């Protein structure tokens, strides 16, 4: 009896194995990693189930398992153990080059998917989905989510006209005896949340002297491209920020209790952040009071341009705050069995299509990357399928794309140099007119003056390219980084 049971168990095991390895030696299962926001995994699981059930789908005998993950840290997880990662995974686009170079991703080769990506998405998004590996450029990712920072505000306290400019917001804040706006960071030492100032451009012609890894390449060894932040316009805009921080009705960093409390208790009227903050903002000020707008304009004053080249900047120049205008993408795990390569691409084509992007917006307020989705979002709103705030957030985020750039950190090195090697802390110190560092021997001094700001911007520029502090700061600035 025991022998018969053993035989039966063995036979069953053989049947199970043979039934799950008919696809070139691999089981017919795909795992998909998406964001872990509430309801996201469930939405995409239902979408995948519907795709499998489509009549004539050649992959109908597959099983698809969708898992929610922390997209902010997922790239590190994948590089540490790529075999354990999803067959298809979501990352922010600035990880594409790093993952391609680390052989954690397959290039996208299926012609109809390549055509869909290139046709449906802005050129800026398509470009950041490409990478060079072993001297050969290929498309490694499919965009499907866009994101950018914008302004949330309490529309019961700021008028439609006032919200167009930071000066207008300060006038509203003066009426309400509070600060005008804040950002998530409590000390400003955050290269992402301070991008509204660093990436600001002149309204009349989009001028900025800033160069942030322009022409960078993820090819073996990597090239950093051009990086420059020492221009007179960057000095003038930083001096405007200094004035706004000192203004009792101007700009503030988030309190130690968080920006949510600042909005809730009326310490400020607005917040620069992204769509992910919507629910928290609505909770703080009330859904009915929630307004969204482009990051406002600001006008340079005589104080801001004093001592600078007036051929570059002059009093009265109007600038608009900028943003990193990014996309999240699907990538194909290079460690997935090659027999699943076409199935991976077929599923990504479906999940990143305009139709699916539109549905994800309707059900989850996931803002699409596809340019064609804008008209469909309009239709959803007209049909009463999305709320006013959902609609407003989508439209303003798309509009901010014209005033921003995708994060250009196409290698892990560039990401680290920009965010994690003291450059954000230097900018924040200058914003509050402090020396840097604040303890010990100061490398950057007298930041209330142009001379000190030039020191700080040179240091930032050096760190962006070298990843460390310079041994000394040249006496004549601006200066090239050798």
């Amino acid at each position: 009896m025991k022998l018969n049971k053993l035989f039966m168990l063995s036979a069953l095991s053989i049947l199970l194995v043979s039934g799950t390895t008919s696809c070139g030696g691999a089981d017919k299962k795909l795992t998909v990693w998406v964001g872990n926001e509430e309801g996201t995994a469930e939405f995409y699981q239902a979408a995948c189930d519907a795709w499998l059930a489509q009549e004539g789908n050649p992959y109908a005998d597959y099983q698809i398992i969708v898992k929610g993950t922390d997209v902010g840290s997922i790239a590190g997880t994948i590089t540490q153990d790529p075999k354990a990662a999803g067959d298809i995974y979501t990352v922010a686009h600035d990880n594409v080059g790093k993952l391609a170079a680390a052989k954690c991703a397959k290039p996208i080769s299926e012609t109809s998917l390549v055509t869909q990506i290139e046709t449906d998405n802005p050129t800026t998004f398509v470009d950041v989905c490409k990478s060079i590996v072993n001297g050969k450029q290929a498309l490694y990712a499919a965009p499907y989510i866009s994101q950018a920072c914008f302004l949330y505000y309490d529309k019961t306290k700021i008028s439609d006209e006032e919200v167009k400019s930071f000066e207008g917001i300060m006038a509203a804040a003066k009426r309400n005896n509070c600060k005008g706006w804040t950002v998530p960071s409590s000390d400003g030492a955050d290269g992402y949340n301070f991008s509204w100032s660093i990436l600001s451009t002149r309204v009349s012609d989009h001028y900025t002297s800033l160069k942030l890894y322009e022409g960078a390449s993820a090819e073996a060894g990597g090239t950093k491209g051009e990086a420059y932040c020492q221009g007179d316009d960057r000095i003038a805009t930083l001096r405007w920020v200094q004035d706004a921080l000192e203004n009792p009705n101007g700009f503030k960093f988030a309190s130690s209790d968080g920006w949510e409390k600042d909005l809730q208790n009326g310490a400020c009227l607005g917040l620069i952040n992204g769509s992910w903050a919507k629910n928290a903002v609505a909770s703080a000020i009330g859904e009915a009071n929630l307004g969204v707008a482009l990051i406002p304009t600001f006008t340079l004053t005589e104080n801001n341009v004093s001592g600078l080249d007036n051929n570059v900047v002059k009093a009265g120049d109007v600038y608009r705050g900028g943003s990193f205008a990014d996309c999240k993408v699907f990538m194909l795990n290079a460690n997935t069995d090659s027999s699943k390569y076409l199935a991976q691409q077929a599923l990504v084509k479906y999940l990143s299509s305009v139709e699916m992007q539109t549905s994800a917006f309707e059900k989850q307020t996931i803002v699409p990357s596809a340019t064609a989705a804008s008209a469909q979002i309009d239709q959803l709103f007209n049909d009463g399928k999305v709320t006013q705030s959902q609609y407003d957030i989508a439209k303003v985020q798309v509009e901010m794309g014209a005033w921003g750039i995708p994060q250009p950190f196409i290698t892990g090195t560039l990401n680290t140099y920009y965010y994690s090697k003291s450059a954000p802390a230097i900018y924040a110190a200058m914003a509050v007119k402090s020396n840097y560092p604040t303890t010990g021997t100061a490398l950057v001094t007298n930041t209330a003056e142009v001379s000190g700001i030039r020191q700080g911007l040179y240091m930032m520029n050096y760190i962006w390219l070298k990843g460390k502090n310079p041994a000394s700061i040249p006496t004549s600035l601006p200066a090239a980084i050798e």
Side-chain angles (χ1 to χ4, degrees):
M1 186 70 177
K2 289 182 179 178
L3 288 174
N4 287 339
K5 284 184 177 179
L6 179 60
F7 175 78
M8 291 173 65
L9 287 171
S10 298
L12 179 60
S13 297
I14 292 170
L15 286 171
L16 287 172
V17 171
S18 63
T20 57
T21 58
S22 59
C23 187
D27 65 290
K28 290 191 173 183
K29 180 172 72 175
L30 289 174
T31 53
V32 181
W33 285 8
V34 297
N36 61 359
E37 300 84 1
E38 183 179 357
T40 297
E42 291 80 2
F43 169 79
Y44 282 106
Q45 183 67 67
C48 289
D49 293 343
W51 178 72
L52 289 174
Q54 287 179 350
E55 185 176 353
N57 187 343
Y59 307 104
D61 56 344
Y62 270 71
Q63 178 188 11
I64 299 174
I65 300 172
V66 180
K67 176 185 176 183
T69 57
D70 178 8
V71 175
S73 61
I74 193 174
T77 302
I78 293 168
T79 54
Q80 289 171 16
D81 190 3
K83 292 182 179 180
D87 299 302
I88 297 166
Y89 53 78
T90 296
V91 292
H93 80 263
D94 55 303
N95 292 294
V96 170
K98 175 172 65 177
L99 291 167
K103 295 181 170 52
C104 293
K106 300 175 186 177
I108 291 172
S109 62
E110 204 281 317
T111 303
S112 65
L113 174 55
V114 172
T115 300
Q116 176 177 291
I117 292 169
E118 293 179 342
T119 302
D120 290 352
N121 297 281
T123 302
T124 52
F125 286 173
V126 176
D127 288 345
V128 297
C129 288
K130 298 175 181 178
S131 189
I132 299 174
V133 178
N134 297 327
K136 184 177 180 180
Q137 186 182 72
L139 187 66
Y140 278 89
Y144 75 110
I145 298 174
S146 69
Q147 56 187 32
C149 288
F150 49 88
L151 181 78
Y152 289 100
Y153 68 100
D154 186 337
K155 61 186 181 183
T156 67
K157 297 177 180 178
I158 304 175
S159 71
D160 292 344
E161 187 62 31
E162 287 173 327
V163 79
K164 294 177 181 178
S165 71
F166 282 119
E167 289 80 9
I169 293 174
M170 286 188 272
K174 186 173 183 178
R175 283 198 311 273
N176 289 276
N177 192 31
C178 64
K179 284 282 192 174
W181 71 99
T182 188
V183 292
S185 173
S186 61
D187 60 4
D190 182 332
Y192 186 84
N193 290 312
F194 231 146
S195 65
W196 70 272
S197 170
I198 295 172
L199 300 180
S200 58
T201 55
R202 191 162 56 202
V203 170
S204 61
D205 56 4
H206 282 264
Y207 170 75
T208 176
S209 64
L210 181 80
K211 295 183 185 298
L212 195 55
Y213 303 122
E214 292 184 9
S217 170
E219 191 174 357
T223 57
K224 300 181 182 70
E226 291 186 82
Y228 184 73
C229 62
Q230 301 179 63
D232 279 12
D233 60 318
R234 297 305 90 197
I235 297 173
T237 53
L238 176 57
R239 294 173 89 183
W240 186 92
V241 171
Q242 290 177 333
D243 289 350
L245 280 164
E246 291 179 343
N247 189 314
N249 307 118
F251 171 44
K252 75 183 292 293
F253 297 127
S255 68
S256 58
D257 293 329
W259 58 263
E260 297 93 338
K261 288 292 184 183
D262 288 334
L263 292 178
Q264 189 175 35
N265 63 24
C268 64
L269 302 181
L271 167 78
I272 297 174
N273 210 330
S275 58
W276 51 89
K278 186 263 182 183
N279 289 340
V281 176
S283 177
I285 64 176
E287 178 84 33
N289 301 332
L290 189 152
V292 296
L294 293 175
I295 297 178
T297 63
F298 58 92
T299 302
L300 299 181
T301 67
E302 289 289 352
N303 178 59
N304 303 150
V305 303
S306 175
L308 301 177
D309 185 348
N310 292 137
N311 291 317
V312 177
V313 289
K314 60 183 182 296
D317 283 351
V318 179
Y319 281 71
R320 183 179 298 281
S323 171
F324 285 122
D326 298 331
C327 59
K328 290 181 181 177
V329 302
F330 284 122
M331 298 186 73
L332 314 177
N333 193 332
N335 289 276
T336 298
D337 190 278
S338 60
S339 64
K340 301 181 183 181
Y341 190 26
L342 290 178
Q344 285 174 286
Q345 293 181 89
L347 181 54
V348 166
K349 183 181 177 183
Y350 168 75
L351 293 177
S352 63
S353 66
V354 173
E355 291 73 22
M356 274 303 303
Q357 289 189 35
T358 305
S359 179
F361 175 72
E362 178 185 357
K363 305 298 185 184
Q364 291 295 125
T365 319
I366 295 172
V367 180
S369 67
T371 51
S374 181
Q376 294 195 24
I377 289 173
D378 287 343
Q379 190 62 52
L380 287 173
F381 179 66
N382 292 334
D383 292 343
K385 293 182 178 180
V386 296
T387 66
Q388 182 73 53
S389 61
Q390 279 179 293
Y391 178 76
D392 290 345
I393 285 172
K395 300 301 283 188
V396 76
Q397 186 169 286
V398 171
E399 290 175 23
M400 273 306 304
W403 300 94
I405 60 170
Q407 291 185 73
F409 315 120
I410 61 173
T411 67
T413 296
L414 301 186
N415 192 299
T416 299
Y417 284 9
Y418 179 82
Y419 284 116
S420 305
K421 294 293 183 180
S422 300
I426 295 169
Y427 194 86
M430 292 191 293
V432 295
K433 299 183 179 178
S434 292
N435 294 340
Y436 183 84
T438 55
T439 59
T441 303
L443 300 174
V444 178
T445 59
N446 198 24
T447 57
E449 304 295 334
V450 169
S451 59
I453 295 174
R454 288 198 187 279
Q455 290 178 340
L457 292 177
Y458 174 84
M459 273 195 70
M460 288 176 60
N461 201 162
Y462 192 95
I463 290 167
W464 285 356
L465 289 169
K466 303 289 187 178
K468 60 182 180 180
N469 290 341
S472 60
I473 297 177
T475 54
S476 179
L477 294 170
I481 310 298
E482 302 296 338

